[in-house]
Amino acid sequence: AYLHTRKILSIKSMAKNVECWTELQEIYEPDADHAGSGNLFEHLLEILRLEPYRNCAIQGLALSAGGLGDSVSQTAVGAMVKSVNEGGDSMLLTVAWELQAILARNAGVSRVVIPVMRTIDFLFSKAGLIDSGDVKLFEALLAEAWGSTRGCRDIVLLQVALSLIANLTYAKDPVFTASFYKLIASLVNRYPKIRRCAAEHLYMRIISFEEEEEEKFDVDRATELVTEVSWDTGAAAAIKTARLDLFACFGMEPPKK
């Protein structure tokens, strides 16, 4: 794609039909002898600063960054993190909102949703999104993550969605309560692996509670339930009872169903 774009940009008569022609010439250098070297993701990050192409660039980076952990994924992650770090909160939020929009446009399309959610996870873990985002953004992300789990039979998608929801539990209220509630609700998912996944995320969040949170909730009982109940292999009745107890530990009303 990079080489084909350079060829197009080398056709001078195309200038009037291509937005940001001058900026693209500087980025792709179509008249240079070399064809690009090193990390092309970093080389092309300048495109994120061009409004007409930003959304497509973000989606392309996300689909690469959220891959299966190969070298391409790692390179794309590094490039995206570098871009948002250099661009500050403004760039970080621009990228995050566009990723949310991609999720909304592609609801139910696993091949897009999975890598995009993984990329959002990277923004939490490597770019400090939890400190830069606001309630509106986090609620929008939570809605997409939770919505993707309804009726879902894709184990990988369910795992990725739970990971995103778990990241959102580190936000302040009302996002904390809403996302934490959904993790507890997931403990009765039809798939044993997903129930175990939800329990593990809950455990990691519970042991990270600050002192004021420990005083507010029944943390000791919650920790006991999360660690001692066999969420993946236990009897359905025992799992449902333990989940009800967990809701009570955090002063939450369980779902009616």
Side-chain angles (χ1 to χ4, degrees):
Y2 173 78
L3 295 177
H4 282 300
T5 304
R6 290 187 81 226
K7 289 181 180 179
I8 292 172
L9 291 172
S10 67
I11 304 173
K12 305 302 181 185
S13 61
M14 294 287 292
K16 62 181 181 296
N17 299 316
V18 178
E19 293 184 88
C20 304
W21 176 267
T22 301
E23 292 85 349
L24 291 172
Q25 290 285 317
E26 294 174 356
I27 294 171
Y28 283 89
E29 300 179 298
D31 296 326
D33 292 334
H34 65 82
S37 59
N39 182 352
L40 289 181
F41 285 115
E42 289 191 9
H43 181 70
L44 298 178
L45 284 179
E46 292 297 322
I47 293 177
L48 292 181
R49 296 180 174 86
L50 305 181
E51 181 67 30
Y53 306 107
R54 180 178 298 151
N55 293 351
C56 289
I58 290 172
Q59 179 163 329
L61 274 172
L63 293 179
S64 297
L68 299 176
D70 57 15
S71 59
V72 172
S73 170
Q74 295 171 18
T75 303
V77 169
M80 179 167 283
V81 170
K82 178 181 179 180
S83 176
V84 297
N85 285 340
E86 291 179 352
D89 285 351
S90 176
M91 178 60 77
L92 175 58
L93 293 176
T94 295
V95 171
W97 272 112
E98 176 54 28
L99 293 175
Q100 184 275 332
I102 293 171
L103 291 178
R105 291 194 300 267
N106 294 275
V109 185
S110 296
R111 62 182 177 80
V112 175
V113 171
I114 290 173
V116 170
M117 284 191 182
R118 281 180 175 148
T119 301
I120 297 171
D121 272 352
F122 288 128
L123 294 184
F124 278 108
S125 63
K126 298 179 180 292
L129 181 57
I130 199 67
D131 298 317
S132 301
D134 57 21
V135 171
K136 187 176 180 180
L137 170 63
F138 292 153
E139 287 182 336
L141 291 175
L142 180 59
E144 294 303 330
W146 185 243
S148 71
T149 68
R150 294 177 186 149
C152 181
R153 297 177 180 272
D154 186 327
I155 298 294
V156 175
L157 176 53
L158 287 167
Q159 290 174 322
V160 173
L162 284 182
S163 179
L164 177 51
I165 292 170
N167 271 315
L168 290 166
T169 65
Y170 290 87
K172 296 179 181 179
D173 266 330
V175 178
F176 162 75
T177 298
S179 52
F180 201 81
Y181 185 96
K182 287 172 172 53
L183 275 186
I184 298 177
S186 299
L187 291 171
V188 293
N189 187 276
R190 73 177 76 183
Y191 299 112
K193 184 178 291 187
I194 300 307
R195 297 197 297 270
R196 170 55 60 184
C197 180
E200 290 172 351
H201 282 305
L202 280 169
Y203 175 74
M204 295 304 297
R205 184 63 182 96
I206 290 171
I207 65 173
S208 72
F209 278 165
E210 301 290 341
E211 184 175 345
E212 60 183 32
E213 293 172 311
E214 292 181 350
E215 294 175 353
K216 183 179 178 181
F217 306 123
D218 189 350
V219 173
D220 290 339
R221 175 58 176 158
T223 303
E224 178 183 341
L225 287 166
V226 169
T227 56
E228 294 186 4
V229 172
S230 298
W231 296 102
D232 51 352
T233 60
I239 289 174
K240 290 179 179 178
T241 299
R243 188 184 74 147
L244 289 175
D245 288 346
L246 271 172
F247 278 123
C249 288
F250 296 98
M252 299 175 176
E253 289 292 328
K256 294 181 180 181
K257 292 184 178 181

